[in-house]
Amino acid sequence: DRALARGGRAAAAAFLERAVELTTDPATRAGRALAAAEARFAAGAIAKAAQLLDTAEIGPLDPAQLAQVQRLRARLAFALNTGRSVVPPLLEAAGRLERLDDGLSRATYLAAIAAAINAGRLGGDDLRRAALAGRGAPRGEDAVGRLLTGLSTWVLDGHAASVSLLADAVEEIGMETDLELAWLSSAVTHEIWDSGAYFGRSEDLLSHARASGRLSLLAAALSFRATALIHAGRFEEAATILDEADTLGAMVGVEPHPASAVILAAYRGREEEATAVIDAALGYARSSGVGWNLGVAAYSRAVLSNGLGRYREALAAAQEAIEFEDLAVMQWALTELVEAAARSGADDVAAAGRDRLVARTSVVDSPWARGTAAYADALTDTSGESEKHYRTAIDELTSAGMTLYAARAQLLLGEWLRRENRRTEGRQQLQAAHELFASIGAEAFAERAARELAATGGVARTRTRGAEVDLTAQEAQIARLAAAGRTNPEIGAVLFLSPRTVEWHLRKIFTKLDISSRRELAAALRDQ
């Protein structure tokens, strides 16, 4: 108990295992073996936890203990294989648990839906079957019950019907008490377009997984945080976290989820390296039965191709990505599809993609949703309001903390201005986009911006990274928000910084730009 109180789960498990060895009473021995298995699982020792469950099952076990054993078996199976093969045993365990413990039954149905989501297009009818079974389970108003209801609705009734339910579920889940649900709720934040929850929960999940010693959950926490950092334009931090995930995977014997590494490689834009990573992810997806990664790989190929300016290839990849409605991936891929289709002259495809994307954003009122809708509207506009839509996209996506997409919207605005023969204005936008892409390491998009900049008669300024005249990605984001009239508390709320930290960053920004007030920010940024 003292070891658990200090977060020492591995030490607690060792004490419990010793207690098992010293216990002669069969019932007491079985109960202690079950407790030790729980502790070993939390500490990331999957194989050892399975051995201890074997000991616990020798029994005798009362019905409640039997329910715990069945639930832990399901959790172990999911940790080792999140693909299609684990869905049937999870559904079977959930059905048995209905007769023993409603709460454990709902949690196991939720795990079955999560596994079916991961199986994706390789799972056949598994996702629908799991959702139907989950909907038929006794309803619960706790965090598990609400998330089960929300995801069952998402599968069976569609995105629009599920948004409010999923938002309620995410709000209900607390990191302290529902840590095992937090990784799933992090993915759900994409469906509800809640960037605050996305960035905040990914950070909190990682902090709590580390502080609690839950190594069985740390790998997922690292992966989700890395993806958030990529979208925030913090590539170096994301790479560091992915290195940690690799080390952890080797230590606990569970392969790290490859999705974040694939997305990062695509955005870095080094073609040969990214293609190899994407191809490896495809192999992993097929061998493991995790079809969700097929969607991620196709989406990542679309990102890479859009960055390289190969729009027909990007369109083909994006169309492949949206063949199945993968959680979170669908909305990413639709954005790539609209851009690729618009740039390759497939206007009808672009318009259809825009309609699908706007249908998903129109049921949510958030900066991320509004910015994404404006992004698609700008690319497909036929009413003469493209510029307004582009500027809205830049402002809203910056406000949402989606630095990467905001920079892409700025690149698109610069390209549009050049084609409208407004070269001076286009040059300003393209220069700013180029410098941000170059500073964060998005090499293909930086090259695309440089080519467009050259077409305006400009020259891409390549500054030494880290030089005093450069704004970091975070400083550029703070500067844009301040130039848009946001107060320090408002900026802090968007970027999860204290107002005092925002003020500190602004002083550095003023020094670098050689200005003395916020009133000068907009002009200084245009001149960069």
Side-chain angles (χ1 to χ4, degrees), residues 20-51:
V20 171
E21 294 171 5
L22 295 173
T23 302
T24 56
D25 177 68
T28 304
R29 178 183 174 86
R32 289 176 176 173
L34 175 56
E38 291 272 7
R40 281 297 183 195
F41 172 71
I46 307 298
K48 187 64 176 176
Q51 293 173 7

Side-chain angles (χ1 to χ4, degrees), residues 98 102-103 105-106 109 133-142 144-150 152-153 165 168:
E98 276 194 41
D102 286 348
S105 176
R106 284 191 292 271
Y109 278 124
R135 176 171 281 181
R139 193 177 180 100
E141 292 302 320
D142 59 350
V144 171
R146 292 190 181 199
L147 191 54
L148 178 60
T149 299
S152 297
T153 302
L165 295 170
D168 287 344

Side-chain angles (χ1 to χ4, degrees), residues 253-332:
V254 178
E255 283 190 72
H257 204 292
S260 299
V262 178
I263 296 169
L264 179 59
Y267 264 111
R268 278 178 164 164
R270 302 165 190 164
E271 184 178 5
E272 186 174 344
E273 176 185 321
T275 299
V277 173
I278 292 169
D279 289 344
L282 288 171
Y284 167 83
R286 295 186 180 112
S287 64
S288 64
V290 181
W292 189 83
N293 278 320
L294 294 178
V296 171
Y299 155 74
S300 299
R301 204 181 296 279
V303 169
L304 175 64
S305 298
N306 270 332
L308 294 169
R310 298 176 187 169
Y311 302 114
R312 291 189 183 279
E313 294 176 23
L315 177 56
Q319 287 174 319
E320 181 182 344
I322 66 169
E323 286 175 358
F324 188 90
E325 188 161 348
D326 290 301
L327 188 72
V329 179
M330 171 63 81
Q331 69 184 51
W332 305 342

Side-chain angles (χ1 to χ4, degrees), residues 444-516:
F445 281 102
E447 284 297 319
R448 176 174 149 187
R451 290 193 300 271
E452 289 286 335
L453 189 57
T456 69
V459 177
R461 295 197 295 267
T462 304
R463 298 176 176 177
T464 304
R465 292 184 69 184
E468 188 173 293
V469 291
D470 275 341
L471 296 182
T472 67
Q474 187 177 60
E475 287 170 346
Q477 197 172 359
I478 290 170
R480 287 178 181 176
L481 288 167
R486 296 298 187 96
T487 65
N488 287 0
E490 288 172 340
I491 296 170
V494 170
L495 302 180
F496 306 101
L497 301 171
S498 71
R500 182 174 296 180
T501 300
V502 173
E503 180 61 33
W504 179 76
H505 280 298
L506 280 171
R507 286 199 298 270
K508 289 178 62 181
I509 291 165
F510 292 167
T511 299
K512 289 182 178 184
L513 297 178
D514 194 25
I515 60 177
S516 58

Side-chain angles (χ1 to χ4, degrees), residues 137-476:
R139 193 177 180 100
E141 292 302 320
D142 59 350
V144 171
R146 292 190 181 199
L147 191 54
L148 178 60
T149 299
L151 284 174
S152 297
T153 302
W154 177 77
V155 174
L156 299 172
D157 303 324
H159 175 267
S162 70
V163 166
S164 62
L165 295 170
L166 291 173
D168 287 344
V170 168
E171 183 70 24
E172 187 73 17
I173 292 168
M175 294 293 167
E176 300 282 358
T177 56
D178 302 299
L179 192 55
E180 289 188 54
L181 297 180
W183 71 269
L184 185 55
S185 70
S186 295
V188 166
T189 58
H190 293 265
E191 294 294 321
I192 60 176
W193 303 94
D194 189 339
S195 58
Y198 173 39
F199 291 120
R201 283 184 172 270
S202 68
E203 183 174 24
D204 289 346
L205 173 58
L206 182 54
S207 297
H208 284 296
R210 283 178 169 150
S212 66
R214 302 291 291 273
L215 298 185
S216 59
L217 299 171
L218 183 54
L222 289 166
S223 177
F224 278 105
R225 183 58 181 163
T227 305
L229 289 170
I230 293 166
H231 284 137
R234 294 156 64 179
F235 287 8
E236 291 183 4
E237 292 175 65
T240 299
I241 281 181
L242 290 174
D243 287 342
E244 183 181 347
D246 287 338
T247 302
L248 176 68
M251 183 172 68
V252 303
V254 178
E255 283 190 72
H257 204 292
S260 299
V262 178
I263 296 169
L264 179 59
Y267 264 111
R268 278 178 164 164
R270 302 165 190 164
E271 184 178 5
E272 186 174 344
E273 176 185 321
T275 299
V277 173
I278 292 169
D279 289 344
L282 288 171
Y284 167 83
R286 295 186 180 112
S287 64
S288 64
V290 181
W292 189 83
N293 278 320
L294 294 178
V296 171
Y299 155 74
S300 299
R301 204 181 296 279
V303 169
L304 175 64
S305 298
N306 270 332
L308 294 169
R310 298 176 187 169
Y311 302 114
R312 291 189 183 279
E313 294 176 23
L315 177 56
Q319 287 174 319
E320 181 182 344
I322 66 169
E323 286 175 358
F324 188 90
E325 188 161 348
D326 290 301
L327 188 72
V329 179
M330 171 63 81
Q331 69 184 51
W332 305 342
L334 281 171
T335 305
E336 300 304 322
L337 179 138
V338 173
E339 181 170 335
R343 283 290 183 262
S344 57
D347 294 341
D348 290 345
V349 177
R354 176 263 177 203
D355 290 346
R356 291 182 66 181
L357 196 55
V358 169
R360 297 174 72 89
T361 58
S362 62
V363 293
V364 179
D365 185 23
S366 74
W368 188 2
R370 293 192 297 269
T372 302
Y375 193 105
D377 285 340
L379 283 161
T380 57
D381 180 72
T382 57
S383 64
E385 296 195 323
S386 293
E387 181 176 0
K388 183 187 79 172
H389 292 314
Y390 280 128
R391 294 191 183 279
T392 297
I394 294 167
D395 291 343
E396 295 284 8
L397 291 168
T398 297
S399 178
M402 290 289 172
T403 301
L404 203 50
Y405 282 115
R408 289 182 62 177
Q410 190 164 36
L411 169 60
L412 289 169
L413 173 58
E415 291 173 338
W416 181 85
L417 288 167
R418 181 181 78 79
R419 286 162 177 75
E420 292 291 306
N421 291 318
R422 294 163 61 181
R423 294 194 169 199
T424 301
E425 295 169 88
R427 191 178 305 135
Q428 293 171 347
Q429 299 295 330
L430 292 167
Q431 183 68 59
H434 173 268
E435 290 187 6
L436 180 56
F437 287 133
S439 71
I440 66 176
E443 296 177 16
F445 281 102
E447 284 297 319
R448 176 174 149 187
R451 290 193 300 271
E452 289 286 335
L453 189 57
T456 69
V459 177
R461 295 197 295 267
T462 304
R463 298 176 176 177
T464 304
R465 292 184 69 184
E468 188 173 293
V469 291
D470 275 341
L471 296 182
T472 67
Q474 187 177 60
E475 287 170 346

